Amino acid sequence: VLIFVAGMAAALEAQVGKAADNVQSKAAMKSAVKTSAVTPRFSSPAKVSAVRGEQVFVDYCAICHGMQGRGDGPRSAFFSEIQYIPDFTIEGFVAGRDSEVLEGIREGLRRLDEPSLVMPQFKYILSENDIRSTLAYVKTLPDKAMKK
């Protein structure tokens, strides 16, 4: 019986030690989260440019918006009738709307209830330069469409 009690005491002491370590690690994680700013998962040292924006657009946007930005990407086939993907090749569509488009890329568009989200947010994925580069590229799409 004495050996059993001693074994139980040792097991209890080990559990208390693990719990204390767990509390300390959770506190350290909370502290780290509070002190660090939220940054994109992938950051790009590239300067803002339409060339960089085209790369980002192809990688992240074309699946819905299409390779030429007409709103006819492969994923658009699965959208409901109330979901709308704009045609960026229409002259003047983004003119004067820089802040609105940038905000849409950063925060996404949630005009409908889940799961019918219109557009995901990219602020945790793309750097600010990549977001601005994407806008710079989208602004070139009407001219590219006219040349074809």
Side-chain angles (χ1 to χ4, degrees):
V1 172
L2 204 48
I3 295 172
F4 176 73
V5 171
M8 290 296 291
L12 181 59
E13 186 176 322
Q15 289 295 333
V16 169
K18 285 182 184 176
D21 289 343
N22 193 17
V23 168
Q24 288 175 349
S25 70
K26 283 183 180 178
M29 285 176 60
K30 283 183 180 179
S31 175
V33 168
K34 286 181 184 176
T35 59
S36 69
V38 176
T39 58
R41 181 173 171 202
F42 303 105
S43 61
S44 171
K47 293 183 179 181
V48 175
S49 73
V51 172
R52 173 66 185 149
E54 182 175 16
Q55 295 169 341
V56 173
F57 188 89
V58 168
D59 289 346
Y60 295 97
C61 310
I63 191 78
C64 293
H65 291 281
M67 292 299 287
Q68 285 81 38
R70 295 186 187 279
D72 59 354
R75 192 172 286 163
S76 67
F78 300 100
F79 278 32
S80 68
E81 291 178 15
I82 59 173
Q83 290 174 300
Y84 166 72
I85 303 174
D87 182 348
F88 294 132
T89 64
I90 296 172
E91 186 68 36
F93 184 81
V94 295
R97 298 177 53 205
D98 288 12
S99 61
E100 182 182 346
V101 173
L102 290 169
E103 185 71 11
I105 296 169
R106 282 187 205 105
E107 300 297 329
L109 300 173
R110 304 197 185 293
R111 295 185 180 132
L112 305 170
D113 293 331
E114 290 186 26
S116 297
L117 300 177
V118 178
M119 186 171 136
Q121 57 182 271
F122 287 97
K123 67 182 177 183
Y124 300 118
I125 298 170
L126 301 175
S127 69
E128 184 62 25
N129 282 356
D130 285 348
I131 291 170
R132 291 184 176 280
S133 292
T134 304
L135 173 63
Y137 172 69
V138 167
K139 287 179 166 183
T140 69
L141 292 175
D143 291 338
K144 287 183 178 195
M146 292 178 113
K147 290 179 183 175
K148 288 188 175 184

